[in-house]
Amino acid sequence: GKEERRPKNVRGETPMLKTQEKMSQKTDLNDWAAVQCQTSVNWSVQSRFWNHFSGGLNHQIEHHLFPSICHTNYVHIADVVEDTCEEFGVPYQHERSLGTAYRGMTRHLKAMGREVKMD
């Protein structure tokens, strides 16, 4: 069925489904805003340097939810977004630094790129 066609990593997990399992039943798993939060990861949000230098891309969640807002405002709405995610049981994913986020992404891509041997 549908479950069999979903991409899986080496451990047989479907990352999006794993994230969705953390969500409460208050939220439709395919809700547009919930999907933006599930598939985005903030990094170095406490850093004024990274917020300015990256043009706000360190606030990936807010950037995906509100792409037309000037990046200098992401720091002002981040707490509201995080609280709303918590209220509706949607994971608000963030990493302490760009390096940590980058390493996590490369590990994920490497795992997703491994060939799964079929019996």
Side-chain angles (χ1 to χ4, degrees):
K2 237 181 189 180
E3 179 67 31
E4 294 169 8
R5 293 192 318 242
R6 293 190 172 143
K8 297 182 181 193
N9 63 20
V10 184
R11 293 176 290 240
E13 302 167 336
T14 302
M16 185 77 157
L17 289 178
K18 194 169 184 165
T19 301
Q20 288 175 347
E21 288 170 3
K22 298 177 187 174
M23 297 173 65
S24 74
Q25 295 303 315
K26 295 182 198 175
T27 306
D28 178 5
L29 300 180
N30 292 316
D31 176 79
W32 177 85
V35 170
Q36 302 312 303
C37 296
Q38 292 174 78
T39 57
S40 302
V41 178
N42 287 357
W43 47 271
S44 297
V45 294
Q46 74 288 352
S47 172
R48 287 177 142 181
F49 170 80
W50 280 117
N51 193 53
H52 177 73
F53 188 74
S54 72
L57 293 179
N58 58 325
H59 286 271
Q60 280 290 294
I61 295 170
E62 290 75 19
H63 169 72
H64 283 262
L65 291 173
F66 306 103
S68 62
I69 291 178
C70 177
H71 76 276
T72 59
N73 293 311
Y74 293 155
V75 296
H76 303 293
I77 66 170
D79 289 341
V80 174
V81 172
E82 186 172 10
D83 290 347
T84 303
C85 285
E86 185 176 331
E87 177 183 347
F88 288 93
V90 176
Y92 185 87
Q93 304 177 101
H94 54 89
E95 296 292 348
R96 190 165 177 258
S97 69
L98 172 60
T100 305
Y102 186 78
R103 282 189 296 279
M105 181 216 35
T106 56
R107 276 194 305 272
H108 172 72
L109 290 175
K110 186 175 181 180
M112 293 304 292
R114 288 192 187 121
E115 188 173 334
V116 178
K117 296 184 180 171
M118 301 289 200
D119 292 333

